[in-house]
Each structure stands twice: as structure tokens, then as C-alpha cells.
Amino acid sequence: MTVRILYFAALRDEAGRAQEECELEAGDTPARLAQRLLGFNRNVFYAVNDEMATADHLLKDGDTVAFVPPMAGG
Amino acid sequence: MLIEITTEAIDVQRALDHVRHPACGAVTLFEGNIRNTNEGEPVQALEYEVYESLFHNVVRQIIDEARERWAFHDVAVIQRSGLLAIGDCGIAIAIGSGHRREALEALEYLIEEFKVRAPVWKRELTAQGQRWLNWEPQVRR
């Protein structure tokens, strides 16, 4: 059971990587993965399979999870 | 509907041409251009990063929301990615509608929503260095 993690912009710079594969644990959510992989909880948003998702979205095998810094569109 | 991401200079005319139609008495256009200062400090350039597949989904969603509120004919969104110089266009949004009120109000809605929901990030380059906008660097625990 794995998920693919994508890092963008400032988060990618801080993490030192653009993507990685990660083992999924039972009950994992984007917020739990962020805590485990980044070592801290930041003010970030989450996307799962290219759709915005909540922090407590229940993840499943094969999902792609993006850690998304606050947007600066326009 | 046109939603496009490009690393080349945005062709604003293409956005306008896309939404022009005999049924449209009004066409509105927004250009988001690179300013030479930010918070009073000179800016040399901006680097735009776009999460492309999410961008398409989020922009479509925002346009759908606008369509529920305003009856416009068509919309074009062209987003720039990569390194931009002062004066370059970072985003162009055009709307065509039968009358001006719909085109003006829907355009403002899109601009405001894109600002906080479209997955686009900007790295500002100044004489002092570079920094991501909307982000406070934090020391890892």
C-alpha cells in the first residue's frame, strides 16, 4: 500500500524533493502524512488525485497526494 | 471555454478572440501584470509555478460557480508559468456576455477566487535575494 507525494513551490524547497513514494498506514490522511514526512504541521492545503481534499480525507492505495502551499494566483 | 497554461508570452488577443461572439454586446478582459515593486521594494522578476492538472480542475470549478450566478457566453483563461519579467502578463481572463453587468461581475468573481484557490505560486526575485510570496519560512523542529 503506497501513495505518491507531490511537493510544490516553497514546500518542495523546504522538503528538498519534488515527489516521493510513501508507505500507507491504516487510517492515513493528508494531515497525518504531512506530520510524518515534513515533521511539522504548516498552513498548507491538500490535493488528492488532482482534486482539492480536506486534511482528514481517508487515503487509499495508489492515491497521489499533493502538499499545496497557500495559493498566490492572479 | 478556454483554459490554457503557457511558458510563452500570453497572447491576450487570443483570449479576446475566443470570447467574442455576435451574441455578445460586452467583452471584459483582466490582465495580471508583473509590477516593478512589491510592498515598496523594487522587484526584478517573478517566477510562476503552476500545478497544472489541479489548475485545470480548480479553474473549471470556479467557472462553473460563476455560471450559476451570471449568464455569460464564454470565458478564456490563459495562465503563464516560468520566469516573468517586469511588465509581463501573468494571467489573462476574458469574458463575453450579452450585456456588460454579467461580464464585469463574473470577471471580478473569477479574479478574486483565482487569487486564493488557483494552484499558482510566485517566487519574487529582488536585489536582496528571492522569496516565495504568501509563505513564511519556518525552521524545522
PDB file of all heavy atoms in Angstrom, chain B residues 116-141:
ATOM      1  N   VAL B 116      -7.020  33.099  -4.492  1.00  0.00           N
ATOM      2  CA  VAL B 116      -6.875  32.277  -3.285  1.00  0.00           C
ATOM      3  C   VAL B 116      -7.053  30.779  -3.548  1.00  0.00           C
ATOM      4  O   VAL B 116      -6.743  29.963  -2.678  1.00  0.00           O
ATOM      5  CB  VAL B 116      -7.870  32.722  -2.182  1.00  0.00           C
ATOM      6  CG1 VAL B 116      -7.480  34.096  -1.660  1.00  0.00           C
ATOM      7  CG2 VAL B 116      -9.305  32.734  -2.683  1.00  0.00           C
ATOM      8  N   ARG B 117      -7.535  30.393  -4.732  1.00  0.00           N
ATOM      9  CA  ARG B 117      -7.819  28.967  -4.961  1.00  0.00           C
ATOM     10  C   ARG B 117      -7.039  28.335  -6.108  1.00  0.00           C
ATOM     11  O   ARG B 117      -6.905  27.108  -6.149  1.00  0.00           O
ATOM     12  CB  ARG B 117      -9.320  28.774  -5.208  1.00  0.00           C
ATOM     13  CG  ARG B 117     -10.148  29.065  -3.960  1.00  0.00           C
ATOM     14  CD  ARG B 117     -11.632  29.182  -4.274  1.00  0.00           C
ATOM     15  NE  ARG B 117     -12.179  27.965  -4.847  1.00  0.00           N
ATOM     16  CZ  ARG B 117     -13.396  27.885  -5.386  1.00  0.00           C
ATOM     17  NH1 ARG B 117     -14.181  28.971  -5.420  1.00  0.00           N
ATOM     18  NH2 ARG B 117     -13.836  26.761  -5.889  1.00  0.00           N
ATOM     19  N   ALA B 118      -6.554  29.125  -7.057  1.00  0.00           N
ATOM     20  CA  ALA B 118      -5.826  28.534  -8.191  1.00  0.00           C
ATOM     21  C   ALA B 118      -4.410  28.159  -7.737  1.00  0.00           C
ATOM     22  O   ALA B 118      -3.715  28.978  -7.128  1.00  0.00           O
ATOM     23  CB  ALA B 118      -5.773  29.507  -9.359  1.00  0.00           C
ATOM     24  N   PRO B 119      -3.977  26.918  -8.010  1.00  0.00           N
ATOM     25  CA  PRO B 119      -2.675  26.467  -7.519  1.00  0.00           C
ATOM     26  C   PRO B 119      -1.517  27.050  -8.326  1.00  0.00           C
ATOM     27  O   PRO B 119      -0.932  26.395  -9.194  1.00  0.00           O
ATOM     28  CB  PRO B 119      -2.762  24.949  -7.646  1.00  0.00           C
ATOM     29  CG  PRO B 119      -3.728  24.715  -8.754  1.00  0.00           C
ATOM     30  CD  PRO B 119      -4.710  25.840  -8.712  1.00  0.00           C
ATOM     31  N   VAL B 120      -1.235  28.309  -8.005  1.00  0.00           N
ATOM     32  CA  VAL B 120      -0.164  29.063  -8.648  1.00  0.00           C
ATOM     33  C   VAL B 120       0.666  29.689  -7.534  1.00  0.00           C
ATOM     34  O   VAL B 120       0.101  30.202  -6.562  1.00  0.00           O
ATOM     35  CB  VAL B 120      -0.740  30.190  -9.536  1.00  0.00           C
ATOM     36  CG1 VAL B 120       0.383  31.042 -10.130  1.00  0.00           C
ATOM     37  CG2 VAL B 120      -1.610  29.609 -10.645  1.00  0.00           C
ATOM     38  N   TRP B 121       1.985  29.609  -7.670  1.00  0.00           N
ATOM     39  CA  TRP B 121       2.863  30.196  -6.652  1.00  0.00           C
ATOM     40  C   TRP B 121       3.882  31.090  -7.340  1.00  0.00           C
ATOM     41  O   TRP B 121       4.283  30.832  -8.472  1.00  0.00           O
ATOM     42  CB  TRP B 121       3.569  29.095  -5.859  1.00  0.00           C
ATOM     43  CG  TRP B 121       2.567  28.208  -5.201  1.00  0.00           C
ATOM     44  CD1 TRP B 121       1.899  28.450  -4.041  1.00  0.00           C
ATOM     45  CD2 TRP B 121       2.066  26.960  -5.695  1.00  0.00           C
ATOM     46  NE1 TRP B 121       1.024  27.433  -3.777  1.00  0.00           N
ATOM     47  CE2 TRP B 121       1.104  26.501  -4.770  1.00  0.00           C
ATOM     48  CE3 TRP B 121       2.340  26.186  -6.819  1.00  0.00           C
ATOM     49  CZ2 TRP B 121       0.414  25.310  -4.936  1.00  0.00           C
ATOM     50  CZ3 TRP B 121       1.651  24.993  -6.993  1.00  0.00           C
ATOM     51  CH2 TRP B 121       0.709  24.563  -6.058  1.00  0.00           C
ATOM     52  N   LYS B 122       4.273  32.143  -6.607  1.00  0.00           N
ATOM     53  CA  LYS B 122       5.175  33.134  -7.190  1.00  0.00           C
ATOM     54  C   LYS B 122       6.411  33.277  -6.318  1.00  0.00           C
ATOM     55  O   LYS B 122       6.304  33.480  -5.120  1.00  0.00           O
ATOM     56  CB  LYS B 122       4.460  34.491  -7.283  1.00  0.00           C
ATOM     57  CG  LYS B 122       3.238  34.467  -8.172  1.00  0.00           C
ATOM     58  CD  LYS B 122       2.419  35.716  -7.983  1.00  0.00           C
ATOM     59  CE  LYS B 122       1.114  35.637  -8.769  1.00  0.00           C
ATOM     60  NZ  LYS B 122       0.157  36.683  -8.361  1.00  0.00           N
ATOM     61  N   ARG B 123       7.575  33.174  -6.958  1.00  0.00           N
ATOM     62  CA  ARG B 123       8.836  33.422  -6.280  1.00  0.00           C
ATOM     63  C   ARG B 123       9.347  34.782  -6.754  1.00  0.00           C
ATOM     64  O   ARG B 123       9.563  34.981  -7.956  1.00  0.00           O
ATOM     65  CB  ARG B 123       9.854  32.329  -6.611  1.00  0.00           C
ATOM     66  CG  ARG B 123      11.044  32.333  -5.650  1.00  0.00           C
ATOM     67  CD  ARG B 123      12.258  31.664  -6.226  1.00  0.00           C
ATOM     68  NE  ARG B 123      12.074  30.361  -6.796  1.00  0.00           N
ATOM     69  CZ  ARG B 123      12.514  29.223  -6.229  1.00  0.00           C
ATOM     70  NH1 ARG B 123      13.106  29.249  -5.077  1.00  0.00           N
ATOM     71  NH2 ARG B 123      12.356  28.080  -6.861  1.00  0.00           N
ATOM     72  N   GLU B 124       9.509  35.674  -5.801  1.00  0.00           N
ATOM     73  CA  GLU B 124       9.909  37.040  -6.124  1.00  0.00           C
ATOM     74  C   GLU B 124      11.429  37.152  -6.094  1.00  0.00           C
ATOM     75  O   GLU B 124      12.062  36.712  -5.138  1.00  0.00           O
ATOM     76  CB  GLU B 124       9.296  37.967  -5.072  1.00  0.00           C
ATOM     77  CG  GLU B 124       9.490  39.422  -5.296  1.00  0.00           C
ATOM     78  CD  GLU B 124       8.766  40.190  -4.208  1.00  0.00           C
ATOM     79  OE1 GLU B 124       9.326  40.352  -3.115  1.00  0.00           O
ATOM     80  OE2 GLU B 124       7.616  40.598  -4.434  1.00  0.00           O
ATOM     81  N   LEU B 125      11.986  37.752  -7.148  1.00  0.00           N
ATOM     82  CA  LEU B 125      13.432  37.948  -7.213  1.00  0.00           C
ATOM     83  C   LEU B 125      13.730  39.436  -7.044  1.00  0.00           C
ATOM     84  O   LEU B 125      13.223  40.263  -7.811  1.00  0.00           O
ATOM     85  CB  LEU B 125      13.986  37.458  -8.552  1.00  0.00           C
ATOM     86  CG  LEU B 125      14.125  35.939  -8.718  1.00  0.00           C
ATOM     87  CD1 LEU B 125      12.761  35.257  -8.817  1.00  0.00           C
ATOM     88  CD2 LEU B 125      14.932  35.605  -9.958  1.00  0.00           C
ATOM     89  N   THR B 126      14.537  39.759  -6.019  1.00  0.00           N
ATOM     90  CA  THR B 126      14.924  41.146  -5.769  1.00  0.00           C
ATOM     91  C   THR B 126      16.446  41.210  -5.624  1.00  0.00           C
ATOM     92  O   THR B 126      17.119  40.176  -5.639  1.00  0.00           O
ATOM     93  CB  THR B 126      14.292  41.675  -4.462  1.00  0.00           C
ATOM     94  OG1 THR B 126      14.920  41.017  -3.346  1.00  0.00           O
ATOM     95  CG2 THR B 126      12.793  41.414  -4.421  1.00  0.00           C
ATOM     96  N   ALA B 127      16.972  42.436  -5.461  1.00  0.00           N
ATOM     97  CA  ALA B 127      18.415  42.595  -5.293  1.00  0.00           C
ATOM     98  C   ALA B 127      18.883  41.891  -4.022  1.00  0.00           C
ATOM     99  O   ALA B 127      20.049  41.514  -3.897  1.00  0.00           O
ATOM    100  CB  ALA B 127      18.760  44.084  -5.253  1.00  0.00           C
ATOM    101  N   GLN B 128      17.965  41.728  -3.053  1.00  0.00           N
ATOM    102  CA  GLN B 128      18.324  41.092  -1.773  1.00  0.00           C
ATOM    103  C   GLN B 128      18.258  39.565  -1.829  1.00  0.00           C
ATOM    104  O   GLN B 128      18.670  38.890  -0.902  1.00  0.00           O
ATOM    105  CB  GLN B 128      17.397  41.583  -0.646  1.00  0.00           C
ATOM    106  CG  GLN B 128      17.726  42.982  -0.130  1.00  0.00           C
ATOM    107  CD  GLN B 128      17.355  44.063  -1.145  1.00  0.00           C
ATOM    108  OE1 GLN B 128      16.292  44.019  -1.732  1.00  0.00           O
ATOM    109  NE2 GLN B 128      18.271  45.010  -1.358  1.00  0.00           N
ATOM    110  N   GLY B 129      17.697  39.029  -2.887  1.00  0.00           N
ATOM    111  CA  GLY B 129      17.573  37.574  -2.969  1.00  0.00           C
ATOM    112  C   GLY B 129      16.224  37.181  -3.517  1.00  0.00           C
ATOM    113  O   GLY B 129      15.628  37.912  -4.297  1.00  0.00           O
ATOM    114  N   GLN B 130      15.711  36.048  -3.060  1.00  0.00           N
ATOM    115  CA  GLN B 130      14.428  35.571  -3.579  1.00  0.00           C
ATOM    116  C   GLN B 130      13.583  35.011  -2.448  1.00  0.00           C
ATOM    117  O   GLN B 130      14.103  34.551  -1.441  1.00  0.00           O
ATOM    118  CB  GLN B 130      14.653  34.517  -4.650  1.00  0.00           C
ATOM    119  CG  GLN B 130      15.486  33.340  -4.179  1.00  0.00           C
ATOM    120  CD  GLN B 130      15.784  32.397  -5.326  1.00  0.00           C
ATOM    121  OE1 GLN B 130      15.880  32.797  -6.478  1.00  0.00           O
ATOM    122  NE2 GLN B 130      15.914  31.132  -5.018  1.00  0.00           N
ATOM    123  N   ARG B 131      12.262  35.075  -2.621  1.00  0.00           N
ATOM    124  CA  ARG B 131      11.370  34.520  -1.602  1.00  0.00           C
ATOM    125  C   ARG B 131      10.047  34.153  -2.247  1.00  0.00           C
ATOM    126  O   ARG B 131       9.612  34.782  -3.221  1.00  0.00           O
ATOM    127  CB  ARG B 131      11.129  35.527  -0.470  1.00  0.00           C
ATOM    128  CG  ARG B 131      10.327  36.739  -0.910  1.00  0.00           C
ATOM    129  CD  ARG B 131      10.099  37.723   0.216  1.00  0.00           C
ATOM    130  NE  ARG B 131       9.249  38.820  -0.223  1.00  0.00           N
ATOM    131  CZ  ARG B 131       7.999  38.998   0.179  1.00  0.00           C
ATOM    132  NH1 ARG B 131       7.466  38.187   1.059  1.00  0.00           N
ATOM    133  NH2 ARG B 131       7.273  40.005  -0.277  1.00  0.00           N
ATOM    134  N   TRP B 132       9.416  33.113  -1.702  1.00  0.00           N
ATOM    135  CA  TRP B 132       8.082  32.733  -2.151  1.00  0.00           C
ATOM    136  C   TRP B 132       7.073  33.668  -1.508  1.00  0.00           C
ATOM    137  O   TRP B 132       7.115  33.893  -0.292  1.00  0.00           O
ATOM    138  CB  TRP B 132       7.762  31.292  -1.758  1.00  0.00           C
ATOM    139  CG  TRP B 132       8.540  30.275  -2.518  1.00  0.00           C
ATOM    140  CD1 TRP B 132       9.642  29.595  -2.095  1.00  0.00           C
ATOM    141  CD2 TRP B 132       8.275  29.828  -3.856  1.00  0.00           C
ATOM    142  NE1 TRP B 132      10.089  28.749  -3.087  1.00  0.00           N
ATOM    143  CE2 TRP B 132       9.272  28.863  -4.167  1.00  0.00           C
ATOM    144  CE3 TRP B 132       7.315  30.137  -4.809  1.00  0.00           C
ATOM    145  CZ2 TRP B 132       9.317  28.221  -5.402  1.00  0.00           C
ATOM    146  CZ3 TRP B 132       7.359  29.489  -6.038  1.00  0.00           C
ATOM    147  CH2 TRP B 132       8.347  28.549  -6.324  1.00  0.00           C
ATOM    148  N   LEU B 133       6.152  34.191  -2.297  1.00  0.00           N
ATOM    149  CA  LEU B 133       5.097  35.042  -1.751  1.00  0.00           C
ATOM    150  C   LEU B 133       4.089  34.178  -0.996  1.00  0.00           C
ATOM    151  O   LEU B 133       3.894  33.005  -1.311  1.00  0.00           O
ATOM    152  CB  LEU B 133       4.400  35.812  -2.877  1.00  0.00           C
ATOM    153  CG  LEU B 133       5.314  36.729  -3.706  1.00  0.00           C
ATOM    154  CD1 LEU B 133       4.512  37.461  -4.777  1.00  0.00           C
ATOM    155  CD2 LEU B 133       6.058  37.722  -2.825  1.00  0.00           C
ATOM    156  N   ASN B 134       3.453  34.768   0.011  1.00  0.00           N
ATOM    157  CA  ASN B 134       2.455  34.066   0.842  1.00  0.00           C
ATOM    158  C   ASN B 134       3.060  32.925   1.653  1.00  0.00           C
ATOM    159  O   ASN B 134       2.375  31.955   1.968  1.00  0.00           O
ATOM    160  CB  ASN B 134       1.300  33.469   0.009  1.00  0.00           C
ATOM    161  CG  ASN B 134       0.312  34.513  -0.408  1.00  0.00           C
ATOM    162  OD1 ASN B 134       0.532  35.695  -0.138  1.00  0.00           O
ATOM    163  ND2 ASN B 134      -0.765  34.110  -1.033  1.00  0.00           N
ATOM    164  N   TRP B 135       4.332  33.014   1.963  1.00  0.00           N
ATOM    165  CA  TRP B 135       4.967  31.903   2.685  1.00  0.00           C
ATOM    166  C   TRP B 135       5.999  32.431   3.666  1.00  0.00           C
ATOM    167  O   TRP B 135       6.890  33.181   3.276  1.00  0.00           O
ATOM    168  CB  TRP B 135       5.655  30.959   1.701  1.00  0.00           C
ATOM    169  CG  TRP B 135       6.233  29.742   2.348  1.00  0.00           C
ATOM    170  CD1 TRP B 135       7.558  29.502   2.623  1.00  0.00           C
ATOM    171  CD2 TRP B 135       5.523  28.591   2.802  1.00  0.00           C
ATOM    172  NE1 TRP B 135       7.690  28.275   3.215  1.00  0.00           N
ATOM    173  CE2 TRP B 135       6.466  27.695   3.340  1.00  0.00           C
ATOM    174  CE3 TRP B 135       4.174  28.222   2.810  1.00  0.00           C
ATOM    175  CZ2 TRP B 135       6.099  26.464   3.881  1.00  0.00           C
ATOM    176  CZ3 TRP B 135       3.815  26.997   3.346  1.00  0.00           C
ATOM    177  CH2 TRP B 135       4.772  26.130   3.870  1.00  0.00           C
ATOM    178  N   GLU B 136       5.858  32.017   4.923  1.00  0.00           N
ATOM    179  CA  GLU B 136       6.846  32.378   5.935  1.00  0.00           C
ATOM    180  C   GLU B 136       7.746  31.176   6.169  1.00  0.00           C
ATOM    181  O   GLU B 136       7.288  30.152   6.679  1.00  0.00           O
ATOM    182  CB  GLU B 136       6.146  32.765   7.252  1.00  0.00           C
ATOM    183  CG  GLU B 136       5.367  34.069   7.185  1.00  0.00           C
ATOM    184  CD  GLU B 136       6.252  35.257   6.872  1.00  0.00           C
ATOM    185  OE1 GLU B 136       7.412  35.277   7.329  1.00  0.00           O
ATOM    186  OE2 GLU B 136       5.798  36.160   6.151  1.00  0.00           O
ATOM    187  N   PRO B 137       9.034  31.283   5.808  1.00  0.00           N
ATOM    188  CA  PRO B 137       9.932  30.156   6.062  1.00  0.00           C
ATOM    189  C   PRO B 137       9.962  29.844   7.560  1.00  0.00           C
ATOM    190  O   PRO B 137       9.896  30.743   8.381  1.00  0.00           O
ATOM    191  CB  PRO B 137      11.295  30.663   5.589  1.00  0.00           C
ATOM    192  CG  PRO B 137      10.990  31.782   4.670  1.00  0.00           C
ATOM    193  CD  PRO B 137       9.728  32.405   5.156  1.00  0.00           C
ATOM    194  N   GLN B 138      10.029  28.557   7.865  1.00  0.00           N
ATOM    195  CA  GLN B 138       9.984  28.151   9.270  1.00  0.00           C
ATOM    196  C   GLN B 138      11.057  27.105   9.498  1.00  0.00           C
ATOM    197  O   GLN B 138      11.264  26.230   8.667  1.00  0.00           O
ATOM    198  CB  GLN B 138       8.601  27.572   9.571  1.00  0.00           C
ATOM    199  CG  GLN B 138       8.398  27.197  11.020  1.00  0.00           C
ATOM    200  CD  GLN B 138       6.954  26.800  11.267  1.00  0.00           C
ATOM    201  OE1 GLN B 138       6.037  27.601  11.057  1.00  0.00           O
ATOM    202  NE2 GLN B 138       6.736  25.569  11.669  1.00  0.00           N
ATOM    203  N   VAL B 139      11.728  27.201  10.640  1.00  0.00           N
ATOM    204  CA  VAL B 139      12.776  26.224  10.943  1.00  0.00           C
ATOM    205  C   VAL B 139      12.118  24.908  11.325  1.00  0.00           C
ATOM    206  O   VAL B 139      11.172  24.877  12.103  1.00  0.00           O
ATOM    207  CB  VAL B 139      13.660  26.730  12.106  1.00  0.00           C
ATOM    208  CG1 VAL B 139      14.706  25.680  12.476  1.00  0.00           C
ATOM    209  CG2 VAL B 139      14.312  28.051  11.725  1.00  0.00           C
ATOM    210  N   ARG B 140      12.624  23.839  10.750  1.00  0.00           N
ATOM    211  CA  ARG B 140      12.058  22.510  11.021  1.00  0.00           C
ATOM    212  C   ARG B 140      12.388  22.095  12.462  1.00  0.00           C
ATOM    213  O   ARG B 140      13.500  22.277  12.926  1.00  0.00           O
ATOM    214  CB  ARG B 140      12.674  21.514  10.040  1.00  0.00           C
ATOM    215  CG  ARG B 140      12.062  20.136  10.142  1.00  0.00           C
ATOM    216  CD  ARG B 140      12.792  19.192   9.237  1.00  0.00           C
ATOM    217  NE  ARG B 140      12.358  19.352   7.856  1.00  0.00           N
ATOM    218  CZ  ARG B 140      12.048  18.317   7.075  1.00  0.00           C
ATOM    219  NH1 ARG B 140      12.115  17.095   7.551  1.00  0.00           N
ATOM    220  NH2 ARG B 140      11.687  18.497   5.836  1.00  0.00           N
ATOM    221  N   ARG B 141      11.348  21.541  13.126  1.00  0.00           N
ATOM    222  CA  ARG B 141      11.573  21.074  14.509  1.00  0.00           C
ATOM    223  C   ARG B 141      12.398  19.800  14.490  1.00  0.00           C
ATOM    224  O   ARG B 141      12.192  18.958  13.636  1.00  0.00           O
ATOM    225  CB  ARG B 141      10.240  20.793  15.204  1.00  0.00           C
ATOM    226  CG  ARG B 141       9.561  22.013  15.713  1.00  0.00           C
ATOM    227  CD  ARG B 141       8.628  21.660  16.862  1.00  0.00           C
ATOM    228  NE  ARG B 141       7.620  20.683  16.481  1.00  0.00           N
ATOM    229  CZ  ARG B 141       6.402  21.014  16.021  1.00  0.00           C
ATOM    230  NH1 ARG B 141       6.090  22.267  15.890  1.00  0.00           N
ATOM    231  NH2 ARG B 141       5.532  20.097  15.707  1.00  0.00           N
TER     232      ARG B 141
END
